[in-house]
Amino acid sequence: ENRIPPEKSIRNEVGFVTEAFRNMVRRLRDHIKTEFELKLLRQQAEYKALLMQINPHFIFNTLELLTSLSMQKRTDDTVHVIESLGKMMRYSLKVNHDTISLTEELTYLNYYTSILQIRFRERLEINMIKEGKLDDLQVIKFILQPLVENAVKYGFQHRNGAAVRIGIRREGMQLALSVADNGPGIPPEIIQRLQAESASVQLDHVLNNETSQIGLRNVLIRCRLYYGALFSFNIESYYGQGTTITLILPAQEGNPDVSSIDRG
């Protein structure tokens, strides 16, 4: 638009064509701006919808646990679960930003795992290993808890005990989050389907899906919506031995806004 000659009265065919071209460029610019803004709003709405899918899930499970503890008259455990659930709810109500500090996310995860430890006691083993400079890093909310929930579920699927390993590792400008279980493994065809869904961001399929991988699908789609091409993941699964899911995110410090990230 800057290369078009300045506006002046139309005196010949060249001037008329120039003015028509100028008007077309302006309309095209306005159209692109409008489409970009609508796409951003649509993306944010989709992200919020996925986020709301996660919240009720752990609440219902925890309420069932509280009912069981009350019936067993395990008062101390009941109080601990109520306190942890209250802190988790306070965290989940922070909806002003799509991201949260990694420290807060891990604190939220600790509340959740403490509830799991009360429920399963010595039958559940959870270990976490942190590597690299993790201070001030930001991640999207509820990124680890659904994966841990799945890992515990599958760990108990064909064993009397579940073992879950959580890895938090920074490598330069990337942050790797991994969750490993001792479950039966994920069939190759399901892994391929998860990769295809994440690549094409099949939102409707995830929101309306009631299969067992809902938590994993939700996390993968939210990461793809937020980080775009900066996000990748890897699934290593062996029949009868377990599965390791690794999310690769940009190591972002501060409090980045979704619209300001260069996601490719």
Side-chain angles (χ1 to χ4, degrees):
E1 188 176 11
N2 293 332
R3 295 184 179 182
I4 301 176
E7 295 185 54
K8 56 183 179 180
S9 58
I10 302 175
R11 298 179 179 178
N12 51 42
E13 291 82 356
V14 175
F16 178 81
V17 171
T18 301
E19 187 63 21
F21 183 73
R22 188 198 318 281
N23 292 333
M24 182 190 71
V25 170
R26 287 173 176 170
R27 288 195 298 270
L28 180 60
R29 180 190 59 197
D30 293 340
H31 177 71
I32 292 174
K33 181 175 181 292
T34 301
E35 284 296 308
F36 175 80
E37 291 173 348
L38 288 174
K39 181 179 179 181
L40 183 58
L41 289 173
R42 183 167 57 250
Q43 173 184 300
Q44 291 173 338
E46 291 170 349
Y47 181 88
K48 296 296 184 184
L50 288 166
L51 197 59
M52 292 302 295
Q53 186 185 47
I54 287 292
N55 287 346
H57 195 57
F58 78 83
I59 295 176
F60 295 146
N61 289 344
T62 307
L63 290 177
E64 290 180 359
L65 172 61
L66 283 171
T67 301
S68 175
L69 292 174
S70 299
M71 293 178 65
Q72 298 174 51
K73 297 182 179 180
R74 291 165 56 182
T75 305
D76 291 342
D77 288 341
T78 301
V79 171
H80 180 87
V81 171
I82 291 174
E83 291 177 346
S84 296
L85 178 60
K87 293 174 180 176
M88 292 172 69
M89 289 294 296
R90 187 178 299 113
Y91 173 89
S92 66
L93 292 175
K94 296 180 179 179
V95 295
N96 293 333
H97 300 285
D98 294 327
T99 60
I100 200 78
S101 73
L102 178 60
T103 300
E104 288 187 85
E105 181 72 10
L106 295 181
T107 300
Y108 169 83
L109 182 63
N110 286 334
Y111 292 141
Y112 177 71
T113 56
S114 70
I115 293 176
L116 293 179
Q117 295 287 3
I118 289 176
R119 178 181 179 184
F120 297 108
R121 299 185 177 183
E122 67 278 356
R123 295 197 298 134
L124 174 62
E125 177 185 348
I126 299 180
N127 295 308
M128 180 184 297
I129 299 176
K130 295 186 283 188
E131 303 176 51
K133 187 178 181 300
L134 304 175
D135 297 339
D136 301 324
L137 289 184
Q138 298 279 323
V139 295
I140 62 173
K141 298 174 63 176
F142 306 117
I143 194 172
L144 281 170
Q145 181 267 334
L147 303 187
V148 172
E149 183 175 359
N150 274 357
V152 173
K153 174 183 177 181
Y154 287 112
F156 280 112
Q157 197 167 80
H158 67 161
R159 303 176 189 270
N160 189 44
V164 178
R165 300 182 307 278
I166 304 167
I168 316 292
R169 184 178 70 257
R170 179 173 183 172
E171 297 178 348
M173 298 305 296
Q174 289 187 322
L175 175 65
L177 308 176
S178 64
V179 176
D181 63 53
N182 62 337
I186 301 177
E189 61 271 18
I190 294 183
I191 295 178
Q192 293 176 358
R193 193 182 309 156
L194 289 168
Q195 292 171 336
E197 289 175 1
S198 172
S200 59
V201 191
Q202 298 180 18
L203 181 71
D204 291 339
H205 180 74
V206 176
L207 289 175
N208 298 323
N209 198 302
E210 298 182 358
T211 61
S212 54
Q213 289 87 23
I214 182 174
L216 174 56
R217 282 185 163 94
N218 185 292
V219 169
L220 295 179
I221 296 297
R222 281 194 292 122
C223 286
R224 183 67 68 191
L225 278 172
Y226 189 87
Y227 296 109
L230 299 179
F231 166 71
S232 62
F233 71 94
N234 181 49
I235 299 178
E236 295 182 14
S237 192
Y238 303 95
Y239 179 76
Q241 299 181 36
T243 301
T244 300
I245 299 171
T246 303
L247 310 178
I248 308 298
L249 318 173
Q252 295 173 333
E253 299 180 356
N255 188 24
D257 181 79
V258 64
S259 62
S260 66
I261 298 176
D262 183 7
R263 295 167 290 134

